[in-house]
Amino acid sequence: MMYLTLVFGLILTVVYAINGSPLQLIRIVILTGAITYGLRQLILYSDYKPSAHIVLAIINMLVWTNIFLVANAISIVTVQYILLSSTISFYFLNGRWGIFYSLLSLFPVILYFSLNGINDSAAFISGQQASEPIFIAVMMFNFFQLIFINYHFLTGFYLALSQLEKARKDEEELNEQLREAISRAENSSKAKSDFLSTMSHELRTPLNSVIGMSYVLLADNPREDQAGNLKVLHFSAESLLALINDILDFNKLDYGKLEMEKIGFYPAELIGRIHSGLKYQADEKGLSFSLDLDDNLSYIPVIGDPTRLLQILFNLVGNAIKFTSKGEIGLSVQLIDSDPENVTLAFTVKDTGIGISAEQKETIFEPFTQASSNITRKFGGSGLGLAITKQLLDLHDSHIELKSEVGLGTTFKFEIKYKRAGTADVTVNSLMEANVLANEDITWLNILVAEDNAMNILLMKKLLASWDVKADFALNGLEAYEMAKEKFYDIILMDIHMPVMDGYESSKKIISFYEDKPESPYIIALTASVANDIYNKIKLAGLNDYVSKPFNPTELKSKLINLSRLISK
Ligand code: ADP
């Protein structure tokens, strides 16, 4: 448009130079000069804004001189210039400049009317001007400019709109791709998690027999040389089970599937158990293991997950013993904050072991990492313990602090805030479990074992025989139901996965058979499943309790003792 104006200005300069008033000539020279300068700026700097200001200044100069010097009237060309001034300033600059230039070009019109009075003012085309060909040419050119500017503005406007629409579509498409990628990632992580659960389940079943049999053989007065070998077998099987449990836990934590229990327990009692449980390990290595337990804690029950606290402390104290060859291990638990609602406990596990270097501190909380590669050779372990500990503490809204010096020892610290519990919230079980090995008479119990796996049947026979307990065996759920109808059993140990009729179905039938009888058998599920909702499923089917396979024979015995007390009452 500016090129065209320049060409048009040059032609008019020639025309006015030959035949025109000096005023017209001066105006057209200024216009042509300014347009040339504006064009130069536009080409050199590619910034259209200064050029727009130059063009607008010229247009306003034309409006003022048109009204007051050239025509002494408001001609159609002046009106066109006012429209151009407004359009260019709004389209090329912005709202504020638009208002400024619009008012600037309108002002002389108002001034003209107020100076001359409305009646005396000559607005629009005078006959004389309309007859001049140059006037007509300028008028047509201005119309053309108005159309051109509007056309370009609108084309640009619609282009921007369509680009916006395209951007929106692109964004939608990208979002869709993102959603697909996320769901693919989720699926593959679920597949990994499912694979780990299934694999661990499959591993636990045969491990059950290995652990149980080594237990039975050890209890069967083996020769001294056999006892040594059996201990190695038993220890390895237990380590394998611990590793499988770690992998399972880590998998659940990683997948956000681990649910925390909320039950009442006495931290002091649990810590006492950990201390006595691990003390013999420390003794075996010639280490002293001290426990500093806040006296005020003794009778405070809290609501929380005792199993997870046990796991955290077992990991930390276990590591302390593992990585210390002389000196002492210390476990301290202090009550650092207490109000009627909550208590906060500070735990410290200290050792005088090999220590952890600064750069190793960065990585040991990562899964499957150990401080150095010869650690595995020397001390064993999978490198999962601290990763699990850290995640378990995350679930307690807590974090672990580590201070260590190579060669001097290591200190781990963390705090946990628990809700206080009432004494009634604490089940007796946890207190009673400590007395498991008490010489309680359970030989009078009548037990039915429903189990299809031959190895497990053999194991159960040996285990129960070693406790002098008589038992009958059913090979599937239906058989168990038939036998339970014929004879009353105090306790039924019910495998869940069995052919013909599974453990849930069989239990439901037995429970409904005994519904209107004065007493009914206690049913304990035996399951190698590690699914999270297994406990709910078992409760829902009406079973009384469960023992997960591979079970610790002492755990099973403790359940039997607890039940025998309950039944004999
Ligand atoms: P694991 O004990 O199975 O190797 P962890 O995750 O429990 O795995 O520990 C990771 C590593 O952190 C260990 O291999 C060891 O190098 C280091 N570590 C943990 N606790 C201690 C400690 N008390 N003293 C020295 N090193 C430790």
Side-chain angles (χ1 to χ4, degrees):
M1 205 64 233
M2 282 172 83
Y3 276 124
L4 270 182
T5 314
L6 182 63
V7 173
F8 198 59
L10 285 173
I11 295 168
L12 282 186
T13 311
V14 177
V15 172
Y16 285 136
I18 299 166
N19 170 23
S21 70
L23 183 65
Q24 294 281 40
L25 186 59
I26 292 168
R27 283 204 321 167
I28 205 69
V29 168
I30 293 175
L31 181 144
T32 318
I35 287 286
T36 313
Y37 179 73
L39 253 178
R40 177 183 168 273
Q41 295 302 96
L42 191 60
I43 291 162
L44 285 185
Y45 305 112
S46 310
D47 182 5
Y48 65 88
K49 282 189 181 158
S51 307
H53 281 292
I54 291 169
V55 170
L56 283 161
I58 296 167
I59 290 175
N60 276 284
M61 183 266 293
L62 292 175
V63 172
W64 281 80
T65 50
N66 255 1
I67 293 178
F68 293 107
L69 299 176
V70 181
N72 209 17
I74 295 167
S75 70
I76 188 167
V77 174
T78 310
V79 174
Q80 284 179 323
Y81 283 140
I82 294 169
L83 285 176
L84 275 173
S85 167
S86 178
T87 317
I88 291 175
S89 56
F90 274 117
Y91 287 1
F92 285 77
L93 299 171
N94 58 29
R96 267 193 225 156
W97 281 117
I99 290 171
F100 171 75
Y101 280 114
S102 301
L103 290 178
L104 189 69
S105 53
L106 210 59
F107 182 65
V109 178
I110 298 163
L111 190 67
Y112 174 77
F113 281 123
S114 51
L115 286 178
N116 295 318
I118 288 178
N119 293 334
D120 294 336
S121 305
F124 307 115
I125 310 174
S126 70
Q128 180 219 349
Q129 280 179 328
S131 63
E132 285 176 22
I134 288 177
F135 182 85
I136 301 293
V138 170
M139 188 179 78
M140 294 319 290
F141 183 66
N142 286 346
F143 274 133
F144 172 69
Q145 287 202 81
L146 274 167
I147 293 166
F148 182 84
I149 290 169
N150 276 314
Y151 169 77
H152 269 278
F153 181 79
L154 278 177
T155 334
F157 181 70
Y158 283 118
L159 188 72
L161 272 189
S162 72
Q163 275 169 355
L164 221 71
E165 177 68 7
K166 189 173 171 301
R168 200 181 59 76
K169 276 194 184 139
D170 285 353
E171 195 184 308
E172 232 167 54
E173 209 168 284
L174 274 176
N175 276 342
E176 185 53 35
Q177 283 172 3
L178 203 70
R179 271 194 292 274
E180 271 172 27
I182 289 174
S183 117
R184 264 202 306 275
E186 274 172 359
N187 283 345
S188 85
S189 122
K190 187 170 179 317
K192 181 198 92 181
S193 160
D194 289 349
F195 167 73
L196 277 175
S197 312
T198 319
M199 191 191 73
S200 319
H201 178 202
E202 296 305 319
L203 287 174
R204 285 161 81 100
T205 312
L207 202 53
N208 190 32
S209 311
V210 177
I211 290 179
M213 280 302 175
S214 60
Y215 177 90
V216 170
L217 289 174
L218 271 169
D220 210 16
N221 289 330
R223 286 198 319 261
E224 207 169 292
D225 57 323
Q226 286 173 330
N229 293 345
L230 282 171
K231 271 186 193 151
V232 173
L233 177 69
H234 194 72
F235 176 79
S236 307
E238 293 271 8
S239 313
L240 184 56
L241 177 61
L243 177 61
I244 291 173
N245 286 341
D246 271 1
I247 292 175
L248 261 178
D249 268 351
F250 183 74
N251 183 35
K252 277 189 192 165
L253 281 164
D254 203 30
Y255 199 53
K257 264 193 355 200
L258 194 111
E259 280 163 25
M260 297 268 280
E261 253 188 324
K262 282 200 178 79
I263 56 172
F265 71 101
Y266 286 96
E269 185 245 344
L270 182 127
I271 290 155
R273 267 204 284 156
I274 291 173
H275 182 245
S276 48
L278 287 173
K279 189 151 182 8
Y280 81 97
Q281 270 190 30
D283 287 346
E284 270 180 2
K285 284 187 80 174
L287 304 167
S288 74
F289 179 16
S290 64
L291 171 66
D292 176 13
L293 187 63
D294 198 321
D295 289 340
N296 297 321
L297 204 58
S298 300
Y299 299 102
I300 301 181
V302 301
I303 302 264
D305 191 331
T307 318
R308 300 304 165 191
L309 178 61
L310 199 82
Q311 204 174 359
I312 292 169
L313 289 173
F314 255 111
N315 274 335
L316 294 178
V317 178
N319 275 347
I321 297 174
K322 187 157 89 174
F323 295 109
T324 306
S325 53
K326 61 175 193 293
E328 59 174 345
I329 314 297
L331 168 62
S332 146
V333 185
Q334 302 300 321
L335 185 68
I336 53 166
D337 199 10
S338 157
D339 60 45
E341 297 273 295
N342 304 302
V343 287
T344 307
L345 309 183
F347 298 82
T348 311
V349 178
K350 239 187 194 165
D351 66 55
T352 52
I354 59 171
I356 299 165
S357 71
E359 67 259 29
Q360 289 165 348
K361 281 179 194 164
E362 311 269 314
T363 56
I364 54 167
F365 291 101
E366 303 285 320
F368 303 109
T369 37
Q370 300 184 317
S372 69
S373 52
N374 66 4
I375 291 270
T376 327
R377 246 177 292 130
K378 246 175 155 172
F379 301 97
S382 64
L384 272 176
L386 287 181
I388 291 173
T389 302
K390 181 171 176 278
Q391 296 208 37
L392 286 176
L393 283 173
D394 275 352
L395 288 177
H396 282 91
D397 286 329
S398 172
H399 69 275
I400 194 156
E401 272 174 48
L402 160 61
K403 277 203 193 110
S404 184
E405 262 183 68
V406 176
L408 291 180
T410 307
T411 306
F412 285 100
K413 272 188 188 171
F414 61 92
E415 291 171 11
I416 297 184
K417 188 172 181 175
Y418 283 112
K419 270 205 155 38
R420 273 176 188 269
T423 35
D425 295 328
V426 184
T427 50
V428 271
N429 268 350
S430 70
L431 285 170
M432 274 164 68
E433 253 157 23
N435 313 323
V436 173
L437 294 171
N439 268 343
E440 199 104 2
D441 178 28
I442 52 170
T443 53
W444 56 271
L445 285 173
N446 245 326
I447 294 183
L448 172 66
V449 182
E451 170 71 75
D452 63 310
N453 182 304
M455 286 306 292
N456 285 341
I457 295 176
L458 189 66
L459 168 64
M460 274 295 183
K461 274 190 179 151
K462 293 222 166 208
L463 257 186
L464 293 173
S466 75
W467 299 329
D468 284 332
V469 178
K470 292 171 293 299
D472 292 334
F473 287 81
L475 288 176
N476 60 54
L478 188 65
E479 222 178 280
Y481 170 58
E482 300 291 345
M483 288 171 78
K485 274 200 304 192
E486 290 297 310
K487 178 177 166 188
F488 178 79
Y489 291 97
D490 301 303
I491 295 169
I492 299 176
L493 296 174
M494 180 73 80
D495 185 28
I496 293 298
H497 297 288
M498 282 183 296
V500 188
M501 183 187 283
D502 71 12
Y504 294 125
E505 192 57 35
S506 172
S507 305
K508 275 188 207 158
K509 281 186 172 287
I510 295 172
I511 291 164
S512 75
F513 177 79
Y514 278 97
E515 218 163 34
D516 46 6
K517 312 264 181 318
E519 51 180 0
S520 55
Y522 278 84
I523 308 182
I524 300 181
L526 294 176
T527 172
S529 169
V530 286
N532 243 348
D533 54 349
I534 193 83
Y535 189 62
N536 288 341
K537 268 193 181 163
I538 284 167
K539 284 266 141 176
L540 219 69
L543 283 84
N544 301 86
D545 205 344
Y546 79 105
V547 173
S548 60
K549 283 196 269 187
F551 52 81
N552 181 334
T554 347
E555 187 194 337
L556 179 65
K557 192 173 180 193
S558 106
K559 291 245 159 142
L560 296 184
I561 291 174
N562 285 346
L563 277 181
S564 71
R565 288 178 185 171
L566 218 75
I567 296 165
S568 62
K569 261 179 208 163

